[in-house]
């Protein structure tokens, strides 16, 4: 089991990009989904058609490094700038590691999370292409880190959208530590009430610092809160993996990299406020000391194990789903994402869209650390 948790440390990094959906069956309003063949052909013909480039490799220098530097000053939001549910990406955009308007290519995102946080290359690639395949514009090769925007390309006709990372039941998911559930109306903005709880639990279980022990307690609390208040609460795969993984990233990526012992890293509340609320690196902040995909997910899950499952239309009706991927079947994340989510979103693509789907799916599988045990899927054939 320890080996499986080590293997799954990749998925904790998916949460740095955003909160993966708990629902694998893709809704009709998804990114370019729900279009007739004629509508899709007409739309694609009007968009800039980009051949996806090969993803970036690992950093040449992957040690600790000052990242809040003169070349990357924090700047306040301008009118039209986009931010979303992920404090890590929001911070990178506010410091110029990503385009400050919040719209980026997969290449830009992979480079940014490596340069700014020292995310391991395979984790950066898997997280980025997972997000892009379901929330980005695959024709123009652009993704919004927040809400829907025309900056990723011309809008397709309703009911389809290129929705960005805010889109519910795609990558954003329930029981976030500092964002509310979609059921309550705002799934992407900083939630002061939840952040106050973050501070409270850090005080109760970490002497005022957020660490793996605090993460285990707070993760359990947020799940129980959603079960008790959200009739649509859902933590089936892929959200099942990242609901635990996201709890690792505050002490993995938001703690200064000159603190080299990462197993016992602790985040103070002043710096937590800067990242979560202000999208801002602390002064003189250094990235993690080595490429990482997060640590401690086995401790967080093991403290309060729970099956993948959902509420069934009412609060306090949490029911396990035996068909969902879980830690005993990590390949289920990849196969479910491809066969259900992406295939449901793009049932019969043609032309440029099919080509770019095939290319991006190849990048996704190449980044999957368990690919030797998880054969590549080809839902649209090969080129």
């Amino acid at each position: 089991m320890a080996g499986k948790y080590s293997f799954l440390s990749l998925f904790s990094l998916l949460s740095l990009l955003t909160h993966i959906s708990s629902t694998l069956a893709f809704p009709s309003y998804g990114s370019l989904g729900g279009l007739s063949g004629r509508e899709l052909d007409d739309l694609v013909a009007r968009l800039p058609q980009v051949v996806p480039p090969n993803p970036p490799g690992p950093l040449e220098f992957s040690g600790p490094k000052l990242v809040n530097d003169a070349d990357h000053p924090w700047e306040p939001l301008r009118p039209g700038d986009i931010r979303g549910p992920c404090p890590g990406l929001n911070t990178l955009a506010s410091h110029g590691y990503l385009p400050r308007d919040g719209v980026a290519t997969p290449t830009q995102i992979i480079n940014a999370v490596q340069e700014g946080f020292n995310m391991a290359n395979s984790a950066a690639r898997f997280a980025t292409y997972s997000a892009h395949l379901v929330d980005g514009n695959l024709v123009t090769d652009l993704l919004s880190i927040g809400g829907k925007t025309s900056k990723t390309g011309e809008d397709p006709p309703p009911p389809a959208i290129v929705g960005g990372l805010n889109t519910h039941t795609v990558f954003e998911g329930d029981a976030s530590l500092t964002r509310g559930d979609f059921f309550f109306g705002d799934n992407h903005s900083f939630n002061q009430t939840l952040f106050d709880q973050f501070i409270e639990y850090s005080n109760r279980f970490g002497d005022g610092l957020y660490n793996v022990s605090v993460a285990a307690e707070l993760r359990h609390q947020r799940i129980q809160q959603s079960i008790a208040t959200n009739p649509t609460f859902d933590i089936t795969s892929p959200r099942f993996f990242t609901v635990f993984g996201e709890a690792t990233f505050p002490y993995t990526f938001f703690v200064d990299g000159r603190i080299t012992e990462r197993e016992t890293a602790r985040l103070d509340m002043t710096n937590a406020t800067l990242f979560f609320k202000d999208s801002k690196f602390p002064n003189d902040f250094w990235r993690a000391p080595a490429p990482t995909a997060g640590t401690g997910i086995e401790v967080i899950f093991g403290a309060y194990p729970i099956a993948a499952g959902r509420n069934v239309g009412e609060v306090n009706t949490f029911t396990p789903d035996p068909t969902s991927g879980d830690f005993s079947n990590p390949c289920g994340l990849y196969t479910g994402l491809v066969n259900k989510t992406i295939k449901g979103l793009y049932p019969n693509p043609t032309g440029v869209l099919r080509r770019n789907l095939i290319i991006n799916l190849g990048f996704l599988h190449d980044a999957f650390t368990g690919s030797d045990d998880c054969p590549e899927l080809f839902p649209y054939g090969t080129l």
Side-chain angles (χ1 to χ4, degrees):
M1 183 62 71
K4 288 180 178 175
Y5 282 123
S6 176
F7 162 71
L8 284 168
S9 65
L10 162 63
F11 304 130
S12 70
L13 271 295
L14 289 170
S15 305
L16 183 62
L17 286 180
T18 187
H19 311 301
I20 282 188
S21 164
S22 55
T23 305
L24 282 169
F26 201 90
S28 62
Y29 56 77
S31 172
L32 291 182
L35 302 183
S36 69
R38 186 173 65 181
E39 287 174 326
L40 189 56
D41 288 344
D42 182 60
L43 171 68
V44 168
R46 299 196 303 271
L47 293 174
Q49 299 177 10
V50 176
V51 178
N54 289 330
L59 296 173
E60 290 188 11
F61 171 71
S62 59
K65 175 184 175 182
L66 177 68
V67 291
N68 190 1
D69 58 15
D71 292 332
H72 299 93
W74 181 86
E75 293 181 6
L77 293 180
R78 306 162 301 185
D81 284 351
I82 295 168
R83 299 295 182 266
C86 175
L89 289 184
N90 293 343
T91 298
L92 291 171
S94 291
H95 280 271
Y97 282 93
L98 285 172
R100 293 183 185 271
D101 66 356
V103 175
T105 67
T107 294
Q108 289 172 321
I109 293 173
I110 293 167
N111 282 330
V113 295
Q114 290 188 116
E115 284 288 346
F117 290 115
N118 218 349
M119 181 188 286
N121 179 257
S122 61
R125 288 183 288 124
F126 187 83
T128 298
Y129 289 110
S130 298
H132 186 52
L133 276 158
V134 295
D135 278 338
N137 191 318
L138 299 177
V139 178
T140 63
D141 205 39
L142 291 170
L143 171 67
S144 165
I145 69 170
K148 177 180 180 296
T149 174
S150 61
K151 293 179 181 180
T152 60
E154 183 177 346
D155 289 350
I161 61 169
V162 177
L165 297 184
N166 286 0
T167 306
H168 187 58
T169 72
V170 183
F171 264 75
E172 177 278 327
D174 292 330
S176 166
L177 299 182
T178 63
R179 268 66 176 171
D181 289 1
F182 176 80
F183 176 79
F184 301 110
D186 185 349
N187 61 341
H188 54 275
S189 301
F190 174 81
N191 185 304
Q192 184 65 55
T193 300
L194 291 178
F195 188 67
D196 288 344
Q197 182 173 250
F198 183 98
I199 295 173
E200 175 196 350
Y201 269 64
S202 297
N203 288 332
R204 286 174 60 187
F205 300 102
D207 294 327
L209 301 167
Y210 182 90
N211 58 19
V212 68
S213 299
V214 177
E217 297 295 335
L218 183 58
R219 175 69 289 154
H220 174 66
Q221 169 69 0
R222 287 293 295 123
I223 289 174
Q224 295 305 309
Q225 285 178 325
S226 287
I227 289 174
T229 60
N230 178 359
T232 65
F233 174 68
D234 192 321
I235 53 166
T236 52
S237 179
R239 178 58 175 161
F240 178 80
F241 295 96
T242 60
V243 78
F244 296 100
E246 74 182 35
T248 72
F249 79 73
Y251 61 75
T252 299
F253 294 104
F254 296 171
V255 173
D256 193 283
R258 288 168 292 186
I259 300 172
T260 57
E261 182 47 68
R262 308 307 280 184
E263 294 288 344
T264 57
R266 301 176 296 173
L267 174 66
D268 68 65
M269 295 302 99
T270 298
N271 288 353
T273 301
L274 288 172
F275 279 108
F276 281 103
K277 186 176 183 178
D278 300 330
S279 304
K280 192 174 188 178
F281 285 124
N283 290 334
D284 194 33
F285 184 79
W286 291 51
R287 71 188 184 195
T292 180
T295 60
I297 192 172
E298 73 283 1
V299 176
I300 296 168
F301 175 75
Y304 297 97
I306 187 172
R310 61 176 64 85
N311 275 345
V312 287
E314 298 180 2
V315 299
N316 294 317
T317 57
F318 186 79
T319 303
D321 181 354
T323 68
S324 172
D326 58 23
F327 290 136
S328 68
N329 176 28
C331 189
L333 174 59
Y334 168 72
T335 58
L337 185 65
V338 174
N339 284 337
K340 294 183 180 179
T341 305
I342 297 170
K343 182 64 175 174
L345 174 57
Y346 300 105
N348 297 295
T350 59
V352 171
L353 182 58
R354 174 180 174 269
R355 178 199 69 191
N356 287 6
L357 274 163
I358 292 171
I359 293 172
N360 280 292
L361 282 169
F363 295 157
L364 177 73
H365 185 264
D366 288 347
F368 192 66
T369 58
S371 58
D372 290 344
D373 301 317
C374 198
E376 186 170 1
L377 301 174
F378 300 96
Y380 309 113
T382 59
L383 296 178

